[in-house]
Amino acid sequence: MAIPQCPRHLLLLITFSLVLAGILDVGLSYDRPLPRRDIFVPLSDDDDSTTPQQVHISMIGEDKMRISWITDSETPAIVSYGTATGEYQYSSSNGTTSSYKYLTYHSGQIHDVVIGPLKSNTVYYYRCGSSSTKEYNFKTPPANLPIKFAVVGDLGQTGWTVTTLDHISKSGYDVLILPGDLSYADLYQPLWDSYGRLVEPLASQRPWMVTQGNHEKEKIPLLHARSFTAYNARWRMPFQESGSDSNLYYSFNVAGSVHVIMLGSYADFDPTSPQYKWLQADLAKVDRAKTPWLVVLIHAPWYNSNTAHQGESESVDMKKSMEELLYQARVDIVFAGHVHAYERFTRVYQDKGDNCGPMYINIGDGGNREGLAKDYIDPKPEISVFREASFGHGQLEVVNATHAKWSWHRNDNDERVEADSVWLASLSADTACRSS
């Protein structure tokens, strides 16, 4: 089914929002080549005010799932589910319903329901609400390795986004992780609704675990003083379950062997901050004998040889504050977005190659409207292994306790092409790097 292009009046409103967003420092500080056209996904003519829309799921622990959806009118926060199509042995009504206001915009009714315990590596069929007959399905992640992650940043909603989502849908992934910049609504709230509809076919079938980027801030001095209003309301992650006090940073385990930490580049990160103290405590809880893989996501990259986004506090100062924590914990990989290009570094610590440091990978090339960041610093730093300004996505397949394969797939003329790949050994298996 063809996705309609953005109407002219919406383009004007988006343009105004982008201009205002530039004034308010959301990263529009340099020129980029134009990408494909913006897309706006409207509500289907077949849907009414009680029809579930923007359905997406996220993990709560290793045996529960949060189902989130929106309706235009008030409906019960109930999910019926089971392991066969049309047969719902279970029903959960422990959900919550909320909404938010942003200037003159009033959101729909945002429903969140946690279901489980669930069996691993199992397909469940479900319905949202008490009256809808529309059936969805999702597959739970495996309880043990191997497991495959889809990794994509700065996704947006353009023609390139559609290509990226299509490629991800065919990758056989178990969990999607996204290091910030989701909808590029940039103050214009109906674009959040459009984004929810755009990603629903994938996000309703596999857990999407996300963290925030600068485009989620949406703070307007004097008019809307609170940051991340829409993001926190629409994309609720399991922060409380991981001991965090903020939806902007949290962690979770998957497949019994991978601990994923989502950090907030736009939350306080100095050594006296709640995020820093939470990170210290979270890393201390990880038993690498039982959980051999440690993966971290941030938005603003700590290592970057692109000319874009150099010298920003969220990169420079956060790195200065937290890099040693990740190094001492022997983090295996750090994924970042923000820079609209792909780049893979070797294992690094304090700007030098270090066999016991994390591998840093920048993957802010999902399909955003701002285009690609094509200019790189010359000569290429020795620690930078591969860099290319193309739209695409990545795949991390953790095969066993000691080895994983990383691959980056560019959108080459809408074909998925594996352009970069590398095998990694877990630092927990390296006797020379075992932390004390």
Side-chain angles (χ1 to χ4, degrees):
M1 182 182 69
I3 298 177
Q5 301 296 328
C6 193
R8 183 182 297 274
H9 72 282
L10 288 179
L11 284 174
L12 292 174
L13 287 169
I14 293 167
T15 300
F16 171 76
S17 295
L18 286 173
V19 171
L20 184 56
I23 295 172
L24 298 177
D25 184 27
V26 294
L28 307 179
S29 58
Y30 57 91
D31 295 327
R32 299 186 179 97
L34 292 177
R36 289 177 173 175
R37 294 178 62 185
D38 287 337
I39 285 171
F40 184 86
V41 183
L43 188 64
S44 170
D45 292 337
D46 297 329
D47 294 340
D48 60 29
S49 64
T50 64
T51 300
Q53 55 168 299
Q54 306 175 52
V55 181
H56 61 271
I57 66 173
S58 54
M59 295 175 59
I60 303 291
E62 296 191 64
D63 66 349
K64 294 183 176 63
M65 204 72 73
R66 172 177 283 116
I67 315 294
S68 302
W69 75 97
I70 293 178
T71 57
D72 287 339
S73 62
E74 295 184 7
T75 59
I78 296 173
V79 171
S80 302
Y81 62 102
T83 54
T85 180
E87 299 180 15
Y88 311 112
Q89 306 101 301
Y90 314 105
S91 181
S92 179
S93 59
N94 65 341
T96 61
T97 299
S98 62
S99 63
Y100 72 91
K101 296 180 181 179
Y102 189 93
L103 302 181
T104 61
Y105 173 88
H106 292 237
S107 76
Q109 300 296 302
I110 304 170
H111 309 284
D112 290 294
V113 176
V114 176
I115 63 173
L118 305 170
K119 298 177 181 178
S120 62
N121 208 29
T122 300
V123 175
Y124 284 87
Y125 301 84
Y126 65 103
R127 293 189 310 190
C128 301
S130 59
S131 59
S132 175
T133 59
K134 187 173 183 180
E135 183 180 77
Y136 300 86
N137 68 81
F138 67 81
K139 179 177 169 291
T140 54
N144 302 294
L145 300 176
I147 187 171
K148 182 182 284 188
F149 296 90
V151 190
V152 61
D154 299 69
L155 192 55
Q157 39 193 321
T158 70
W160 283 119
T161 308
V162 174
T163 297
T164 298
L165 291 174
D166 177 62
H167 293 171
I168 290 173
S169 72
K170 297 172 182 176
S171 69
Y173 75 102
D174 298 297
V175 179
L176 183 143
I177 50 179
L178 194 159
D181 282 359
L182 284 70
S183 72
Y184 283 75
D186 290 331
L187 316 179
Y188 184 62
Q189 297 302 296
L191 282 178
W192 274 110
D193 297 308
S194 170
Y195 178 80
R197 299 177 193 124
L198 176 64
V199 303
E200 179 185 284
L202 275 70
S204 63
Q205 295 189 44
R206 297 291 187 276
W208 278 38
M209 311 302 289
V210 306
T211 189
Q212 92 287 174
N214 53 307
H215 285 268
E216 275 74 67
K217 283 183 183 177
E218 298 188 304
K219 179 180 178 180
I220 307 176
L222 303 180
L223 298 178
H224 190 91
R226 188 156 46 101
S227 300
F228 305 108
T229 299
Y231 171 79
N232 284 333
R234 294 171 181 268
W235 290 84
R236 184 179 173 191
M237 294 291 115
F239 69 94
Q240 293 169 316
E241 290 78 5
S242 63
S244 168
D245 65 345
S246 170
N247 193 48
L248 303 182
Y249 49 89
Y250 64 96
S251 65
F252 62 96
N253 289 331
V254 63
S257 299
V258 186
H259 187 68
V260 181
I261 298 176
M262 305 293 234
L263 294 179
S265 294
Y266 302 93
D268 290 340
F269 44 69
D270 66 80
T272 65
S273 67
Q275 179 175 205
Y276 184 97
K277 294 176 181 177
W278 168 82
L279 176 60
Q280 273 187 315
D282 190 76
L283 290 170
K285 295 175 185 176
V286 181
D287 182 349
R288 298 301 288 275
K290 297 179 180 178
T291 312
W293 289 95
L294 193 47
V295 177
V296 171
L297 276 74
I298 54 179
H299 183 64
W302 294 356
Y303 288 93
N304 167 33
S305 74
N306 198 291
T307 59
H309 296 300
Q310 289 290 336
E312 295 178 353
S313 173
E314 292 81 10
S315 296
V316 177
D317 294 335
M318 191 178 192
K319 174 189 169 190
K320 186 184 301 182
S321 178
M322 292 183 163
E323 185 180 22
E324 185 176 358
L325 288 181
L326 302 195
Y327 179 75
Q328 294 299 334
R330 300 299 187 251
V331 167
D332 293 292
I333 311 172
V334 177
F335 292 110
H338 203 37
V339 175
H340 298 165
Y342 171 73
E343 184 166 18
R344 174 170 62 87
F345 292 83
T346 186
R347 294 193 176 277
V348 181
Y349 179 56
Q350 293 185 343
D351 303 297
K352 297 179 181 179
D354 189 312
N355 290 334
C356 298
M359 178 176 289
Y360 286 83
I361 297 174
N362 299 339
I363 190 156
D365 59 347
N368 62 86
R369 73 159 67 91
E370 295 173 343
L372 294 166
K374 293 187 175 182
D375 296 329
Y376 285 97
I377 296 170
D378 188 36
K380 182 173 73 170
E382 289 186 6
I383 58 174
S384 178
V385 178
F386 186 100
R387 57 187 190 177
E388 180 176 310
S390 297
F391 290 112
H393 78 283
Q395 296 175 19
L396 175 65
E397 185 171 7
V398 183
V399 178
N400 53 40
T402 59
H403 287 86
K405 181 187 178 184
W406 165 256
S407 57
W408 174 66
H409 302 254
R410 75 160 75 93
N411 298 347
D412 188 0
N413 295 322
D414 293 315
E415 296 294 326
R416 183 178 61 176
V417 176
E418 184 179 297
D420 180 42
S421 65
V422 63
W423 281 91
L424 296 84
S426 171
L427 292 180
S428 65
D430 189 334
T431 54
C433 295
R434 286 179 182 170
S435 54
S436 57

